[in-house]
Amino acid sequence: MKKLFYFVLIFVFMYRGADAQESHQYLVIEFIKVSSNQMVDYSENKDFLEKIYQQAVKQGDVQGWDLWSLQSGPDQGGFQYVTITYYDDPVKMMNGMTDDNFINYAKRAYSDKMSEMEIAKEVEKVKANRDLAMRAYMTVVAETEDSFNMQPGVLASFDLMKATEGQFNEYEHVEEDLYQPFHQKKVEANMMGSWKFLRTAVPMGSEADYTHMTLNFYNNYMQFFNSMEYEDMEASEEQLVAMEEGLSSRDQKWVYMATLVKAIR
């Protein structure tokens, strides 16, 4: 049965691949561990990373980059930061930020201030001060229409989901057809800033910890807590029942809250 589920996942990805390449955005989300004795060093590396990703955006290799500081999450994770790198092409996403690309962007950003040897040492220092404990390759399946300003200080919740075996399509139907309009109304009511529904872009098999993710963005904690109290008074009884039943088609594995530190576009 698990093998059957794995092949169903592959079929879904292949069936939707062409449409995804035309219209979907791709995200690489990295959960980062930083040991306590390296927190100061990693904090000092933020500006260096910002300059590097500014060059990557300038070259058109990535669409943007975020650095988030985690506020809460599962104890077993032990993550301190999350980064999101945005792409408009799945091949660019999978090629990612190679060591050579990283060095080249750093040279463009700092060649007038540092020697090649100093740049190489700084890049190695950045890599040594972080542990990319978990990396997710995702594609945006659905999102709200909004003009949310992704600026330092805004909040986000990263909700990691695993579709129940045999209910992959049912779960996506719930998010796209029921929850997306619900979140759109919350955006229009100023109860949240933005919402994205993501699917893993690489088949992971039945033993994967998660298959989907939702990103929920808020201006501040006041908006976040108000959002928790929001009720769609226009929703029909059938829609509310369908949304409630839809929750059984997935397992909400983890929820992380984070504050935006840097955003490059």
Side-chain angles (χ1 to χ4, degrees), residues 19-82:
D19 176 66
Q21 291 185 28
E22 290 179 3
S23 59
H24 291 176
Q25 189 178 53
Y26 298 85
L27 281 61
V28 176
I29 302 176
E30 297 175 324
F31 292 81
I32 299 171
K33 288 184 179 180
V34 181
S35 61
S36 57
N37 63 341
Q38 293 177 318
M39 288 298 290
V40 174
D41 289 338
Y42 188 78
S43 179
E44 293 175 351
N45 289 335
K46 294 174 187 174
D47 291 338
F48 186 79
L49 286 168
E50 181 178 23
K51 297 296 183 183
I52 287 176
Y53 280 96
Q54 283 176 344
Q55 290 297 319
V57 171
K58 185 177 180 180
Q59 294 297 315
D61 296 330
V62 304
Q63 289 185 309
W65 177 79
D66 299 339
L67 173 64
W68 298 82
S69 175
L70 281 171
Q71 305 298 305
S72 65
D75 292 338
Q76 69 268 25
F79 308 124
Q80 289 77 37
Y81 294 96
V82 178

Side-chain angles (χ1 to χ4, degrees), residues 213-224:
M213 193 181 303
T214 60
L215 303 182
N216 309 275
F217 301 100
Y218 307 92
N219 290 316
N220 47 49
Y221 273 113
M222 180 176 291
Q223 188 181 55
F224 167 72

Side-chain angles (χ1 to χ4, degrees), residues 134-153:
M134 186 168 71
R135 176 183 288 136
Y137 295 92
M138 313 296 291
T139 180
V140 178
V141 179
E143 59 188 326
T144 54
E145 295 181 5
D146 55 72
S147 55
F148 185 64
N149 186 13
M150 197 72 75
Q151 61 182 354

Side-chain angles (χ1 to χ4, degrees), residues 196-251:
K196 294 180 184 292
F197 173 52
L198 316 177
R199 176 202 306 132
T200 182
V202 180
M204 301 171 69
S206 63
E207 298 301 322
D209 289 331
Y210 59 90
T211 58
H212 296 79
M213 193 181 303
T214 60
L215 303 182
N216 309 275
F217 301 100
Y218 307 92
N219 290 316
N220 47 49
Y221 273 113
M222 180 176 291
Q223 188 181 55
F224 167 72
F225 286 115
N226 287 339
S227 177
M228 299 299 100
E229 303 297 325
Y230 177 83
E231 294 184 7
D232 185 2
M233 304 304 294
E234 298 180 2
S236 66
E237 185 66 26
E238 291 78 8
Q239 288 175 317
L240 293 175
V241 170
M243 291 171 71
E244 186 66 26
E245 290 179 348
L247 298 180
S248 65
S249 65
R250 59 94 169 124
D251 178 15

Side-chain angles (χ1 to χ4, degrees), residues 109-132:
Y110 291 98
S111 59
D112 59 335
K113 300 177 183 178
M114 304 167 64
S115 67
E116 288 194 14
M117 183 175 295
E118 289 173 330
I119 291 173
K121 287 183 178 180
E122 193 66 27
V123 169
E124 287 302 314
K125 180 180 174 183
V126 170
K127 292 164 59 178
N129 287 338
R130 60 179 182 171
D131 174 12
L132 299 181

